Amino acid sequence: MATFVHLAPAVRAARIRRGGIKALGADHRERRGVFLFPVLDSYVLTHQWLRELARRPGPRGLVAVHVRLPDGEEVTVGRYGEREPEVTTAARAVRRIRELDDPRGWEVFLPRAVARREVRYVREVRQLHGWRYRPDAHGTAPCVCEGCRDPGLYGSRRLAARRARPEYGPALPAGTLLARLGRAELRGDTAALCEVLRWYRLRRRGPLPRVARLAGHPDPEVRQLLAAAVAGWSTPGVDALLRELAGDGADAAVRRAVAESIAYRDTPGADALLADLARDPDPCVRDAVVDGLVHRATPQAVALLTLLADDPDERVREAVSLLWDEDETEDEGQCGGPEARRA
């Protein structure tokens, strides 16, 4: 028999003693089951998930539920975040983790509920063991860049103020940006224009008629950054400006920037523009369109991907093929792959 520990809120202790552990949803694929970790010789490693689970919303205080499973019980084992954890038995999962030099961040998933008879006992545990965020996070300066920082996380505002970096701060006021834009245009300072456009990308809305004049700027980098800046805006007229930039015949990099920027833009104009860019003469633009279609589960997107699957450029065909393979892996048997879509 393999022995595991499951960390649960203390308020559920009596319920677990009476009826076992319920199978809860585990991830975006709606797996239901129970997360476990083998009981190791090290108390700290056995209860390593304590502090990480304790910082999440919910009741305060955790208890350790010791569970005993048959050696042949089917489970999955792997590091947190693995898309395809290894399917194995309970005994082999324990052996696998015991043999690791560093088992921090590993977990075992039982795809069912734990019955009452499988619960050995429930006990209190010290709440100060384990890691937070990720193993070895302690002593590492947190990153406050736009991609890593979570604006809603407790203490994130104080952290951003303590480790202030102007390039990752909140967008500047509209009046300040307009003044900088005007000065940069008067001086013909391309670098300053690019910096202003980067700030505009952090805003949800902006003075579209004012920045739209940059669509005719002679520097292609300015036109590329303009596409990235306005693609996230909800301002009326953005789709028309993006279409103008997508018709840039002087530089394919500008058209590619448009295709990349509208990947997450959910408007009829963006859908129509992607359809036009899918027939662009430059293969790099068509390749960027494939990335944009990944996030669109519509019949039109499937039709465009089917069209690009027969593209004369090998890179585009390979990108579509990788997308089909990923779809088949995640949703096998439901969509039927590229042949079913073509049918």
Side-chain angles (χ1 to χ4, degrees):
M1 301 289 282
T3 305
F4 299 88
V5 66
H6 170 76
L7 299 174
V11 295
R12 298 181 188 168
R15 186 189 310 168
I16 290 173
R17 290 189 181 97
R18 291 194 305 267
I21 307 172
K22 288 185 177 181
L24 302 177
D27 56 23
H28 66 283
R29 283 173 284 187
E30 296 300 326
R31 295 186 304 167
R32 299 184 70 83
V34 179
F35 283 107
L36 305 166
F37 193 84
V39 176
L40 305 179
D41 296 334
S42 169
Y43 180 93
V44 175
L45 288 177
T46 300
H47 303 89
Q48 60 171 288
W49 285 91
L50 264 170
R51 295 186 73 195
E52 172 64 13
L53 295 176
R55 75 180 185 87
R56 299 182 181 183
R60 305 294 295 175
L62 296 171
V63 294
V65 184
H66 283 246
V67 175
R68 179 169 286 179
L69 300 176
D71 289 343
E73 182 74 41
E74 184 177 289
V75 299
T76 62
V77 59
R79 281 185 63 88
Y80 172 75
E82 281 190 7
R83 297 188 60 182
E84 298 297 335
E86 177 186 350
V87 179
T88 184
T89 62
R92 290 178 180 173
V94 173
R95 189 181 311 119
R96 174 72 187 280
I97 292 180
R98 283 184 179 274
E99 292 173 350
L100 294 171
D101 293 331
D102 185 5
R104 293 178 300 171
W106 283 67
E107 59 190 6
V108 176
F109 182 73
L110 175 67
R112 64 170 178 84
V114 174
R116 177 186 175 185
R117 66 178 181 277
E118 295 172 325
V119 176
R120 294 186 62 198
Y121 51 85
V122 181
R123 62 180 178 81
E124 296 182 355
V125 287
R126 298 190 292 272
Q127 306 290 311
L128 300 178
H129 289 289
W131 42 265
R132 289 187 298 169
Y133 307 106
R134 65 185 183 279
D136 293 324
H138 184 70
T140 303
C143 180
V144 295
C145 75
E146 183 183 346
C148 296
R149 182 166 56 91
D150 186 349
L153 194 65
Y154 174 79
S156 62
R157 186 174 182 178
R158 186 171 63 250
L159 175 65
R162 190 172 73 245
R163 298 178 54 82
R165 294 176 64 181
E167 65 271 29
Y168 295 130
L172 296 175
T176 302
L177 285 176
L178 282 174
R180 290 189 180 184
L181 179 63
R183 290 195 297 269
E185 285 182 310
L186 285 175
R187 298 195 306 266
D189 190 340
T190 301
L193 280 176
C194 292
E195 179 65 14
V196 171
L197 289 173
R198 195 197 67 78
W199 281 112
Y200 269 124
R201 187 171 60 85
L202 300 177
R203 301 184 65 90
R204 293 186 59 223
R205 295 176 67 93
L208 189 65
R210 182 68 180 81
V211 300
R213 297 187 301 189
L214 298 176
H217 196 277
D219 193 309
E221 184 181 3
V222 173
R223 304 198 298 275
Q224 293 174 47
L225 288 173
L226 175 62
V230 303
W233 290 3
S234 56
T235 307
V238 168
D239 287 333
L241 175 58
L242 289 171
R243 179 165 290 278
E244 179 183 352
L245 291 169
D248 193 312
D251 198 310
V254 178
R255 304 196 300 275
R256 178 181 176 87
V258 174
E260 293 173 344
S261 299
I262 62 177
Y264 295 94
R265 186 170 178 81
D266 187 16
T267 64
D271 292 339
L273 187 52
L274 272 178
D276 292 344
L277 290 172
R279 298 170 176 82
D280 193 272
D282 191 285
C284 293
V285 178
R286 301 196 299 273
D287 183 51
V289 170
V290 175
D291 294 335
L293 293 173
V294 170
H295 311 286
R296 286 172 160 77
T298 63
Q300 183 187 18
V302 173
L304 288 175
L305 284 173
T306 304
L307 172 68
L308 293 171
D310 298 323
D311 194 90
D313 189 88
E314 182 180 359
R315 289 172 299 175
V316 180
R317 295 196 304 271
E318 183 179 356
V320 177
S321 176
L322 289 173
L323 175 60
W324 288 138
D325 292 343
E326 184 177 345
D327 258 2
E328 286 182 326
T329 301
E330 291 185 354
D331 202 17
E332 186 174 357
Q334 296 185 15
C335 297
E339 299 301 326
R341 289 179 175 88
R342 292 180 184 181

